[in-house]
Amino acid sequence: MENKTVTLAHGNGGRLMHELVDALRLKFSNKILDELTDAAEINLKGKRIAFSADSYVVKPLFFPGGDIGKLSVFGTVNDISMKGAVPVCISLSFIIEEGLPVKDLEKIADSISYAAKKSKVPVVTGDIKVVEKNAADKIFINTSGVGVINYKGRIGAKANPGDAIIINGPIAEHGLSILNARENLKFYSNIKSDCNNLNFETERCLKASSRISVMRDPTRGGVATALNEIAAASGIGIEIDEQAIPIKPAVKKLCDVLGLDPLYIANEGKFLCFVNNKDAKKVRKAIGANARIIGRVVSAHKKEVYLKTKIGANRILPTLEVDQLPRIC
Amino acid sequence: MNKIKLMEVCGTHTMAIAKSGIKAILPESVELVSGPGCPVCVTSQSDIDKAIAVSGIKDVIIATFGDMMRVPGEKESLAQAKSRGKDIRMVYSCMDALSIAKDNPKKRIVFIGVGFETTSPTVAATIMEAKRQKINNFFVLSCFKLIPPALYAVSNSDKVKIDGFICPGHVSVIIGTGPYEKFAACCKKPCVIAGFEDTDILVSIKRLVEMIKARSYKAEIEYKRAVTKNGNTKARKILASVFDVAPGQWRGIGIIEKSALKINKRYASFDAEKEFDIKISATLPKKGCMCGEVIQGIIYPNECKLFKRTCTPRNPKGPCMVSSEGACAAYYRYGK
């Protein structure tokens, strides 16, 4: 690795993080791991199982539209769902910093209970560790999830030329609501995290088409990062239409004010579905009223994502190099 | 007809142009170059080194805007100083820095003031508020600059010939059209004050080309929904009551008379330069870095030898690659 120490930019979902993942992965590389999807597909005596792991370290713990409890349940359910699996159960394990108010913990537990019920996925096991002050930041939640894959096709990291790209709703709400709460920006806004479970929507997609190639929730690094990852992994090109990307006016305005690009801002209740163009409308309809077809996969400009702007110009939509910084004026 | 070269003065315009892909749809006869309106990019190496030097003083908290964090100083950036444990905080407004001062009465808080007429009035108002509240551990390192003197400097340069200027929207909300009218008439360069949507910029380009063809040297407002002829007189009054106009050191351009704002005598107790004995060795920009030429429209970012080779957003050698408004960062991310 180029850097001598790990920096925060290594965790932002951009190019540095890919370097870090590779540096680790190559030490224990295997065929399943090397696919680099949110959940692994393993074969258990003829049954196809999806298995995922994740950690939640969000700050602040409570934010408009959600909290760390909801986030960890939904995030894990979604990782399993992106593999085309029906989530069966999840585990939650807590690392708690001494001094955390019990009422915060209770609030988080209530939220976990709500999220598990909403997504109809039980929490079946877990663990608690308490560490001394400053050894963690209030509470970290580590999760795993298990699901069953009944889908005939194979949903992985690879998209095919001719696929349409569908998103299930407006982007950039989670990251912006966190930023607004964390930095105490005092912008009056009703921007709430989109933190939500996606398993019912993905199940409807799977029923609507047998030609889905990739499903991906564009969390860290946003839609642009997810698209670049898929383009790179599939060796294909992607073309996105800027005007087709759903974004709420308040989100767009706040991004303008702060000088941030919404395409790189995290989502927690959105997913991209790559499906053969012939089934695109069917799948869009199956997802719901907010879903939009935002682009397509092409065989030209391999491993690159292009954005057709509002005025009809094409420009590259690159991988994020370093964290986005708010501008001065 | 000869090629027409237009300069977008403001860094936010540079980014908006790159993001919307405007250059790709312009006819070949119209060129756009970036100008000296990216706050971090025009800040001189010595000012950046001063900020980093202050961060090394015991019991000092530095508060700054995000863009300043990664600008390379002579030895390191503020972000690197922070990772070594220095107390450096990113704020979104100067008032946040004042709150930090109130919360940390035993520490001295230094706000690094960079920016133009858009930013400086809010900082002036914060300094007035600090005086009113008798807060004596809050200081500002003023590196503020004024846009109109830079226009003259670029226009008078013999290294580049600009035919017309796309003028900054938000600066103009404060200063109005007066300074541009004078400049346009004096230097025979048409000016259009533009908004930040792609259509704002396209309309402004069209108007500039029309004015250049008609040899009409006026200043027009395209961004009428925000900019008025007289600007914001109250903000200018606040500016004048806290700051004196002084010569300013601009990266690549050198000293421009009457182009910087320094804290005046009345508010001298808030001036970080007076509070701290800031010692920096005479510093030069990084070898080979051509940010100075980029911000004057003399070269395009990809004409710099460091561009994309040793200078990348991850390892920036000059401020134009760091700032979200920097021309080099825009080129790197979005191509031409």
Side-chain angles (χ1 to χ4, degrees):
Chain A
M1 271 171 63
E2 206 175 302
N3 298 52
K4 285 204 173 69
T5 52
V6 176
T7 68
L8 278 175
H10 280 102
N12 74 354
R15 191 165 287 175
L16 277 175
M17 195 176 95
H18 294 151
E19 245 177 47
L20 182 66
V21 168
D22 279 348
L24 284 171
R25 175 180 64 94
L26 294 174
K27 304 261 186 201
F28 37 84
S29 162
N30 62 60
K31 215 176 129 197
I32 301 175
L33 180 66
D34 291 351
E35 272 218 331
L36 292 176
T37 48
D38 288 335
E41 180 178 335
I42 45 178
N43 198 306
L44 222 57
K45 290 183 183 161
K47 247 200 151 35
R48 292 166 70 198
I49 304 291
F51 176 50
S52 79
D54 208 342
S55 294
Y56 296 82
V57 293
V58 64
K59 184 172 161 180
L61 298 178
F62 305 94
F63 48 85
D67 58 62
I68 191 168
K70 213 168 141 184
L71 200 61
S72 29
V73 174
F74 288 154
T76 310
V77 165
N78 295 348
D79 278 352
I80 293 292
S81 307
M82 292 308 124
K83 199 71 195 171
V86 177
V88 174
C89 58
I90 63 172
S91 76
L92 296 180
S93 110
F94 304 84
I95 296 169
I96 302 170
E97 182 193 18
E98 91 177 301
L100 180 78
V102 170
K103 83 169 177 8
D104 284 359
L105 196 58
E106 283 171 351
K107 228 171 126 183
I108 292 167
D110 286 342
S111 176
I112 289 170
S113 158
Y114 160 81
K117 274 182 201 139
K118 181 168 187 286
S119 44
K120 294 189 178 160
V121 183
V123 180
V124 293
T125 181
D127 182 47
I128 295 176
K129 296 278 186 293
V130 180
V131 296
E132 65 269 29
K133 193 96 199 148
N134 299 327
D137 189 2
K138 295 190 178 84
I139 183 167
F140 297 157
I141 303 180
N142 177 269
T143 71
S144 67
V146 174
V148 179
I149 303 171
N150 300 316
Y151 193 59
K152 270 191 216 136
R154 200 168 174 285
I155 293 173
K158 288 204 163 108
N160 309 311
D163 280 354
I165 305 165
I166 303 171
I167 192 158
N168 64 325
I171 63 164
E173 288 161 11
H174 175 73
L176 215 54
S177 84
I178 293 275
L179 185 74
N180 206 357
R182 176 159 61 205
E183 304 295 340
N184 201 5
L185 294 183
K186 298 186 183 110
F187 281 107
Y188 170 78
S189 77
N190 52 7
I191 298 169
K192 281 194 185 134
S193 167
D194 59 342
C195 179
N196 212 345
N197 60 310
L198 296 167
N199 51 327
F200 302 130
E201 284 174 54
T202 56
E203 280 166 34
R204 290 202 298 274
C205 287
L206 299 176
K207 270 186 199 140
S209 169
S210 58
R211 293 189 277 196
I212 293 169
S213 57
V214 178
M215 292 197 288
R216 180 73 58 90
D217 49 345
T219 53
R220 250 182 320 191
V223 168
T225 303
L227 291 173
N228 270 288
E229 281 171 5
I230 294 163
S234 319
I236 45 90
I238 288 178
E239 290 177 0
I240 295 294
D241 183 357
E242 185 179 33
Q243 276 186 296
I245 301 167
I247 177 163
K248 285 185 186 156
V251 172
K252 186 174 183 301
K253 276 291 160 218
L254 189 53
C255 283
D256 281 350
V257 168
L258 295 171
L260 301 174
D261 188 338
L263 283 166
Y264 294 91
I265 295 179
N267 308 279
E268 283 295 343
K270 295 292 152 352
F271 73 107
L272 297 161
C273 181
F274 286 63
V275 60
N276 188 298
N277 196 35
K278 286 179 187 143
D279 290 350
K281 279 186 185 156
K282 247 196 301 186
V283 170
R284 192 194 68 192
K285 236 173 143 183
I287 297 174
N290 293 327
R292 297 282 180 277
I293 298 172
I294 61 166
R296 62 202 181 105
V297 176
V298 294
S299 38
H301 53 80
K302 288 190 179 12
K303 299 189 177 187
E304 284 186 326
V305 182
Y306 272 77
L307 182 83
K308 188 174 172 197
T309 68
K310 226 167 51 188
I311 58 171
N314 282 309
R315 72 156 167 90
I316 198 157
L317 185 66
T319 300
L320 197 66
E321 283 276 329
V322 285
D323 275 326
Q324 295 198 89
L325 291 173
R327 62 137 169 268
I328 290 175
C329 71
Chain B
M1 194 174 152
N2 289 337
K3 265 195 173 183
I4 290 176
K5 203 175 229 180
L6 305 178
M7 174 175 276
E8 87 272 359
V9 176
C10 168
T12 311
H13 279 145
T14 299
M15 250 325 162
I17 288 164
K19 276 177 79 175
S20 60
I22 283 178
K23 282 185 185 176
I25 61 163
L26 283 182
E28 267 183 33
S29 54
V30 178
E31 264 183 78
L32 289 178
V33 292
S34 303
C38 151
V40 169
C41 307
V42 298
T43 303
S44 68
Q45 194 67 43
S46 59
D47 280 342
I48 288 163
D49 286 334
K50 265 186 209 167
I52 294 166
V54 176
S55 75
I57 298 170
K58 203 171 166 254
D59 289 332
V60 162
I61 300 175
I62 297 274
T64 181
F65 292 135
D67 260 5
M68 275 298 279
M69 292 294 278
R70 286 191 298 110
V71 180
E74 194 200 358
K75 290 199 188 76
E76 63 179 357
S77 66
L78 287 170
Q80 284 162 330
K82 184 179 163 77
S83 73
R84 283 194 297 112
K86 298 289 172 200
D87 197 341
I88 297 166
R89 303 184 191 182
M90 192 169 88
V91 293
Y92 291 82
S93 109
C94 189
M95 284 305 266
D96 293 345
L98 192 61
S99 306
I100 297 174
K102 280 195 272 189
D103 295 344
N104 296 276
K106 286 184 182 153
K107 303 244 169 131
R108 291 186 287 180
I109 283 68
V110 181
F111 177 77
I112 314 288
V114 293
F116 301 106
E117 293 91 330
T118 334
T119 321
S120 43
T122 58
V123 176
T126 309
I127 292 173
M128 288 167 87
E129 184 61 20
K131 186 164 185 164
R132 200 184 63 79
Q133 293 187 31
K134 298 194 175 73
I135 296 169
N136 55 19
N137 63 331
F138 171 78
F139 308 93
V140 172
L141 182 69
S142 174
C143 314
F144 290 115
K145 293 193 163 51
L146 303 171
I147 282 288
L151 293 181
Y152 287 91
V154 168
S155 181
N156 295 336
S157 164
D158 49 17
K159 290 178 192 148
V160 63
K161 191 183 157 288
I162 307 293
D163 300 298
F165 290 83
I166 301 170
C167 296
H170 295 141
V171 164
S172 309
V173 169
I174 308 292
I175 69 173
T177 55
Y180 303 110
E181 281 161 12
K182 255 192 221 161
F183 166 75
C186 163
C187 296
K188 299 202 165 158
K189 308 281 182 192
C191 295
V192 175
I193 298 164
F196 297 94
E197 297 295 328
D198 35 27
T199 41
D200 287 323
I201 298 168
L202 286 172
V203 168
S204 303
I205 292 171
K206 179 170 176 279
R207 273 307 292 149
L208 280 172
V209 172
E210 286 167 358
M211 285 200 275
I212 291 164
K213 275 185 167 172
R215 292 172 200 266
S216 157
Y217 308 116
K218 286 192 296 192
E220 288 186 0
I221 310 172
E222 183 282 330
Y223 195 27
K224 284 192 176 132
R225 56 192 190 274
V227 180
T228 58
K229 195 168 160 47
N230 293 327
N232 185 334
T233 46
K234 191 175 174 190
R236 290 206 299 276
K237 221 168 134 187
I238 291 170
L239 267 186
S241 59
V242 174
F243 291 110
D244 283 341
V245 176
Q249 177 83 33
W250 294 63
R251 181 178 292 264
I253 304 177
I255 288 179
I256 305 178
E257 286 304 319
K258 296 181 186 168
S259 70
L261 294 175
K262 293 289 166 196
I263 297 172
N264 66 21
K265 266 191 191 157
R266 220 173 128 209
Y267 291 92
S269 62
F270 298 98
D271 190 344
E273 295 205 58
K274 298 209 168 69
E275 171 74 12
F276 300 95
D277 181 24
I278 310 170
K279 284 203 181 85
I280 53 159
S281 46
T283 52
L284 292 167
K286 299 274 178 234
K287 210 175 166 193
C289 169
M290 295 185 82
C291 281
E293 283 75 13
V294 169
I295 59 159
Q296 296 176 78
I298 297 169
I299 64 161
Y300 288 107
N302 55 358
E303 292 175 73
C304 172
K305 284 205 175 101
L306 306 187
F307 181 77
K308 263 194 179 176
R309 293 187 182 94
T310 54
C311 184
T312 63
R314 214 194 293 180
N315 279 312
K317 298 288 184 244
C320 298
M321 187 59 93
V322 175
S323 175
S324 55
E325 298 167 53
C328 298
Y331 254 66
Y332 189 94
R333 276 179 79 169
Y334 303 120
K336 271 189 229 180

